[in-house]
Amino acid sequence: MTTSKSTGLALAGGMAALCLVGGAVPVNGLLGAYPVLSAQAIRYAIGALALLGWLLWRGGLPRVTGRDVLALVALAVTGMVGFNVAIIEGQRYAEPGFVAAIIGGSPLVIALVVPLALGRRPRLTAVLGAGLVFAGVLVISGGGRWSLPGLGLALLAMLGEAGFTLFAVGVVRRIGGIATSAYACVIAAVGSALLSMLVSDNPWPAPTAVEWTALVVLGLLVTAVAFGLYYRCVSVVGPERSGVLAGLIPVSGLVVSVLLGAQPLTLTSAAGALTVAAGCALGQRAQLFSGRRAPSSARPEPRPAVRA
């Protein structure tokens, strides 16, 4: 059983994680001249080393089963490498606002798919909250021009964003959020490096000082810290309630852009941010029109029973 205190801390950590991801948009911009897949490989490698070091310091590495490996590969391919590639390529055929708007539908996918996979009805509050988040993201992003390839790639990015949560559920329950993040980062780093060498003529140029700074920030904060916090949230409150929080990514991106003077704060964007906040709050309610709490399918993050 999780206490209200641990649930609150897990939710706060999940919110902080997604705000870190959204606020890192300017940092990603510092890597515009560096090969994309190589940058992802270095970022995930830094994150993997930090997370593996933490696990070893805490006692050891949890062993994984064949089922866990398959889930981790699916997570890395769809929710990490595939997600980033789909976003980057998608913006060649559609405006960034349109891609962001489509990705905003990922909480709805999670709210519908998770309960159906578990043989129960979707929670009304989760679906309504995810719908509000989607609407808020549409308002913030503003949509934009798109073509058929852009739509297809944006949908793949949305599915990748959903897969980042969906494929992790079982693994997080068995080995914990930190280990899940660490192993997924190892797979993503290796996969990105191999792909980069296949598609790029010069995959490993020496990063500049600015690029190294960006890679370290992305590797430590946006990967190691954010992934660990988010999967801790998934393990405590469940994937549906965690998935709704994805709407905070464009909101935090908007806040950082306004603070840096990159864009003004308009009434429309403020209304979109408030709509996302309302959706996130509604998605955390156990039941609608009831004072009783619905039983949670989430479990606390376990301590690894077997050490390698």
Side-chain angles (χ1 to χ4, degrees):
M1 295 289 291
T2 59
T3 64
S4 58
K5 182 178 180 180
S6 64
T7 299
L9 288 173
L11 282 172
M15 293 169 66
L18 294 169
C19 287
L20 279 173
V21 173
V25 173
V27 180
N28 280 296
L30 298 175
L31 296 169
Y34 200 81
V36 174
L37 287 169
S38 298
Q40 296 301 315
I42 296 173
R43 163 198 173 175
Y44 288 132
I46 292 172
L49 289 173
L51 290 165
L52 291 172
W54 173 262
L55 287 170
L56 290 171
W57 182 69
R58 292 296 299 270
L61 303 178
R63 292 182 180 176
V64 293
T65 65
R67 180 175 60 172
D68 293 333
V69 172
L70 289 176
L72 287 166
V73 170
L75 163 61
V77 169
T78 62
M80 297 168 73
V81 179
F83 173 75
N84 289 317
V85 171
I87 284 183
I88 294 165
E89 292 300 316
Q91 292 182 56
R92 298 176 184 269
Y93 304 97
E95 291 185 350
F98 175 79
V99 177
I102 297 298
I103 294 172
S106 63
L108 267 175
V109 175
I110 295 170
L112 292 171
V113 171
V114 169
L116 292 175
L118 295 175
R120 57 179 172 81
R121 292 181 180 179
R123 287 174 50 237
L124 179 59
T125 48
V127 174
L128 291 177
L132 277 178
V133 167
F134 187 22
V137 172
L138 283 173
V139 173
I140 292 174
S141 64
R145 294 188 300 273
W146 56 279
S147 63
L148 192 58
L151 173 61
L153 288 164
L155 288 172
L156 287 176
M158 180 192 70
L159 293 175
E161 174 68 17
F164 184 74
T165 298
L166 296 174
F167 287 118
V169 174
V171 187
V172 166
R173 184 180 296 121
R174 288 185 289 274
I175 67 173
I178 301 298
T180 299
S181 303
Y183 295 156
C185 282
V186 170
I187 297 170
V190 173
S192 297
L194 292 175
L195 283 175
S196 184
M197 289 187 288
L198 287 175
V199 303
S200 177
D201 294 330
N202 182 25
W204 305 110
T208 64
V210 172
E211 289 169 340
W212 266 123
T213 301
L215 288 168
V216 171
V217 169
L218 290 172
L220 293 180
L221 289 180
V222 185
T223 301
V225 174
F227 284 17
L229 287 175
Y230 180 72
Y231 283 141
R232 171 64 180 168
C233 183
V234 172
S235 72
V236 174
V237 307
E240 295 158 277
R241 293 172 67 185
S242 301
V244 171
L245 300 177
L248 294 175
I249 295 176
V251 173
S252 59
L254 169 66
V255 171
V256 170
S257 296
V258 171
L259 291 176
L260 293 177
Q263 70 179 85
L265 179 62
T266 64
L267 185 61
T268 300
S269 60
L274 290 174
T275 304
V276 169
C280 290
L282 179 59
Q284 303 313 312
R285 291 185 61 86
Q287 296 186 66
L288 193 62
F289 309 128
S290 173
R292 296 179 300 167
R293 280 190 171 275
S296 174
S297 60
R299 300 181 186 178
E301 184 172 357
R303 295 181 180 178
V306 181
R307 302 289 183 180

